[in-house]
Amino acid sequence: MTRPFLILAFISVLACATPALHAQRERLPPDEIEYVDKTWPGTKKTSTGMRYLIRHEGHGASPKPGDLVGVLYTGTLLHGEKFDEHLDPAHPLEFRVGRDEVITGWDQILPMMKVGEKRLVIIPSELAYGSRGRAPTIPRDATLVFEMELVSIKPE
C-alpha cells in the first residue's frame, strides 16, 4: 500500500512542478523592463529572457547549428547609443551559428529566424558581454538592442 501512495505523491509533485520548469526566466532589472515595455510595447519573450519584435516576416528554413549565416545589424545600448553596425548588403557579417563566434543571445535568436526576417532583439547582459562588458563601447552589465536582418543561410 505504501508504494502506490509514494508513486501517486511523486506524480502529483511532478505535475505541480512542470509549469515552473517551463517558466520564462526574467533577466532584466525592473527599471529596464519598464523602459522596454514603454519603448517597444508588444515584445515577446524567449525562455532565456530575451525580448523581440518581428519587424518583417522572413521565408524558408531557419538556420541550424553550424550553418553559415549572413546578418545585417545595428547594435545599440538600451537607451539608444549606437556601438556597432554592419549594414552593407553586399558584405553581411558572416559566421557559423552555435559555434560561439558571436554572443550567446545571437546564437539563441538566429535559429528562430528565417531569411529576409527583420527583428528588434533585446538581449540581457548575461547573454551578451556580461559583467566584463566590451570596452570602450559596451559597459559592464549592459543590455543590448539589435535591429537585425537574416540575409542568407549556407548549410554546413
Side-chain angles (χ1 to χ4, degrees), residues 1-69:
M1 198 74 169
T2 305
R3 181 174 249 164
F5 175 76
L6 289 175
I7 292 172
L8 184 57
F10 176 75
I11 290 171
S12 65
V13 167
L14 187 59
C16 292
T18 301
L21 295 175
H22 296 290
Q24 295 177 332
R25 182 157 181 230
E26 188 54 70
R27 294 186 185 213
L28 297 178
D31 61 322
E32 290 188 2
I33 293 169
E34 185 178 332
Y35 181 81
V36 166
D37 288 344
K38 285 181 183 175
T39 308
W40 300 286
T43 57
K44 295 180 181 174
K45 190 165 92 172
T46 69
S47 61
T48 59
M50 287 187 292
R51 287 181 163 72
Y52 67 92
L53 286 172
I54 298 174
R55 304 280 203 192
H56 177 77
E57 294 282 341
H59 60 279
S62 295
K64 296 173 186 56
D67 287 352
L68 183 68
V69 295

Side-chain angles (χ1 to χ4, degrees), residues 94-110:
E94 290 189 322
F95 59 92
R96 295 209 177 270
V97 175
R99 299 280 170 87
D100 294 326
E101 295 177 13
V102 292
I103 60 174
T104 302
W106 275 39
D107 274 338
Q108 290 180 6
I109 205 74
L110 280 159

Side-chain angles (χ1 to χ4, degrees), residues 37-142:
D37 288 344
K38 285 181 183 175
T39 308
W40 300 286
T43 57
K44 295 180 181 174
K45 190 165 92 172
T46 69
S47 61
T48 59
M50 287 187 292
R51 287 181 163 72
Y52 67 92
L53 286 172
I54 298 174
R55 304 280 203 192
H56 177 77
E57 294 282 341
H59 60 279
S62 295
K64 296 173 186 56
D67 287 352
L68 183 68
V69 295
V71 177
L72 301 178
Y73 71 92
T74 298
T76 65
L77 302 178
L78 185 62
H79 296 285
E81 183 181 337
K82 183 169 36 173
F83 62 83
D84 195 14
E85 67 181 2
H86 203 104
L87 299 174
D88 182 357
H91 302 284
L93 175 67
E94 290 189 322
F95 59 92
R96 295 209 177 270
V97 175
R99 299 280 170 87
D100 294 326
E101 295 177 13
V102 292
I103 60 174
T104 302
W106 275 39
D107 274 338
Q108 290 180 6
I109 205 74
L110 280 159
M112 299 171 60
M113 296 176 69
K114 298 178 184 306
V115 172
E117 187 167 312
K118 295 180 182 181
R119 283 191 185 198
L120 170 101
V121 183
I122 302 159
I123 302 178
S125 170
E126 65 184 89
L127 298 176
Y129 295 101
S131 61
R132 294 174 316 212
R134 187 170 181 204
T137 55
I138 301 173
R140 48 184 311 168
D141 299 320

